[in-house]
Amino acid sequence: MPLTDITDVTDEVGEALAARRPVVALESTIIAHGLPRPRNLAVAAELEELVRAGGAVPATIAVLDGRIRIGLERPQLERIAREGGVRKLGRRDLAPALAAGASGATTVSATAFLAARAGIRVFATGGLGGVHREWTRDQDESADLRVLAETAITVVCAGVKSVLDVPATLQRLETLGVGVLGYGTEWFPGFYLSSSGEPVDWTVHSPGQVADVVRAREALGPPESALIVANPVPEPEQLDPALHDRVLRDALGECRERGITGQAVTPFLLDFLTRRTAGASLEANIAAVRGNAHLAARIAAAL
Ligand code: PSU
Ligand code: MN
């Protein structure tokens, strides 16, 4: 069965891709499982507007009723934001979800995979998945990393979620051959924080410089891999680092105590932080994603 038979591309996205106009992919897990309702719907719509304001067409990606959706109309965005039973789909979950006629939100791994297949070259998200701090015990490493190692796409993010083991994740990215550029910074961003305290090897300062790197990568040819553009949340909008460290310690403790594992870990930690920082982590998270959506559009336009 050809992929096009099970994929619905909105007219707007399809026309933009055919005319080689800039398109930016957006993931849907952050909407369904990363942000609280009803704010999630407002943010999802705002991200699309930010992409437009940056000069590109937004393509939010999800699976609805067993069909791949590249670009969502408003009623479909509402379903992802509001419906119960919207599953969290990594790349490996796509086939069973499609076969079952299920609906689900796509993580970075599934979104990057589907976006690249659809011919989209730039993707914006909040924070990537990565190596969890309890890796030595449970080997929890997000499928995001493996997919980024095999997929030619530029991913604009605010680093990896700070609930993870950031140095270990950077090591894995190096091993996997995934390029990392700091955008306007010499430090890898810390998702809720402007800096994780870990250095990056390469820094760029404009969308044009990112486009130069992408073109050089394309000239080098296979094997394909992703390019991460690590764009920090502006310092005035970051979460207070002391509050971050304190609440995160509690979150990781509670996660372990309650025996939460697998796909549930990331949503649990994000929600715990939101509740225990009285929404401050949520604001930092949203500020980061906003900046990424806008920058991704400018990069897509520069390409
Ligand atoms: N970044 C956010 N919020 C999120 C996520 C990332 O700001 O909800 C999601 C992404 O979809 C990412 C996923 O791919 O969390 C990683 O989950 P896991 O650690 O279970 O692979
Ligand atoms: Mn995991």
Side-chain angles (χ1 to χ4, degrees):
M1 178 169 52
L3 188 58
T4 47
D5 283 9
I6 49 171
T7 305
D8 294 318
V9 182
T10 57
D11 290 344
E12 187 191 20
V13 172
E15 283 161 21
L17 287 171
R20 301 183 61 84
R21 287 197 303 271
V23 176
V24 170
L26 298 166
E27 63 149 312
S28 44
T29 292
I30 179 169
I31 305 169
H33 304 286
L35 299 170
R37 299 174 199 177
R39 188 81 185 273
N40 60 348
L41 179 60
V43 173
E46 191 192 344
L47 295 179
E48 296 205 345
E49 281 320 304
L50 283 165
V51 169
R52 288 183 206 286
V57 171
T60 304
I61 293 179
V63 173
L64 285 173
D65 308 318
R67 293 189 62 82
I68 296 163
R69 301 288 180 146
I70 309 289
L72 299 180
E73 310 283 4
R74 175 76 189 192
Q76 298 164 343
L77 205 59
E78 287 176 4
R79 285 186 61 188
I80 291 294
R82 290 183 178 152
E83 253 177 38
V86 171
R87 298 194 47 159
K88 176 175 166 181
L89 307 176
R91 179 179 60 174
R92 71 171 187 162
D93 304 306
L94 289 171
L98 295 170
S103 297
T106 49
T107 67
V108 169
S109 69
T111 308
F113 173 79
L114 292 174
R117 287 301 201 87
I120 300 173
R121 298 165 78 197
V122 184
F123 167 28
T125 182
L128 305 176
V131 180
H132 284 258
R133 294 179 190 224
E134 296 282 334
W135 191 87
T136 49
R137 203 193 55 186
D138 50 29
Q139 275 86 61
D140 186 352
E141 174 184 324
S142 177
D144 292 354
L145 299 188
R146 173 73 182 281
V147 172
L148 295 177
E150 300 169 345
T151 308
I153 195 159
T154 299
V155 185
V156 184
C157 62
V160 301
K161 275 162 292 194
S162 54
V163 303
L164 303 168
D165 184 334
V166 177
T169 304
L170 286 169
Q171 290 295 340
R172 285 292 290 152
L173 288 170
E174 182 182 2
T175 304
L176 292 167
V178 178
V180 178
L181 305 176
Y183 192 83
T185 180
E186 264 130 55
W187 301 96
F188 193 63
F191 188 50
Y192 297 120
L193 307 176
S194 305
S195 168
S196 66
E198 299 295 319
V200 287
D201 293 329
W202 298 96
T203 299
V204 291
H205 297 279
S206 67
Q209 284 181 341
V210 177
D212 289 342
V213 177
V214 172
R215 281 189 285 262
R217 253 217 58 82
E218 286 170 356
L220 289 167
E224 293 190 336
S225 61
L227 177 67
I228 294 175
V229 179
N231 181 37
V233 61
E235 230 173 278
E237 293 180 86
Q238 74 170 347
L239 184 61
D240 169 36
L243 177 65
H244 171 269
D245 293 355
R246 182 153 32 86
V247 177
L248 180 56
R249 207 172 318 120
D250 294 348
L252 293 166
E254 180 132 342
C255 191
R256 195 176 320 121
E257 244 161 63
R258 292 172 51 174
I260 292 165
T261 56
Q263 279 197 332
V265 170
T266 297
F268 172 81
L269 292 173
L270 297 180
D271 178 60
F272 187 99
L273 262 88
T274 297
R275 284 185 286 113
R276 295 294 271 282
T277 61
S281 74
L282 179 61
E283 295 311 320
N285 184 343
I286 292 171
V289 192
R290 278 189 188 120
N292 296 341
H294 194 248
L295 176 59
R298 294 170 60 216
I299 291 169
L303 280 168

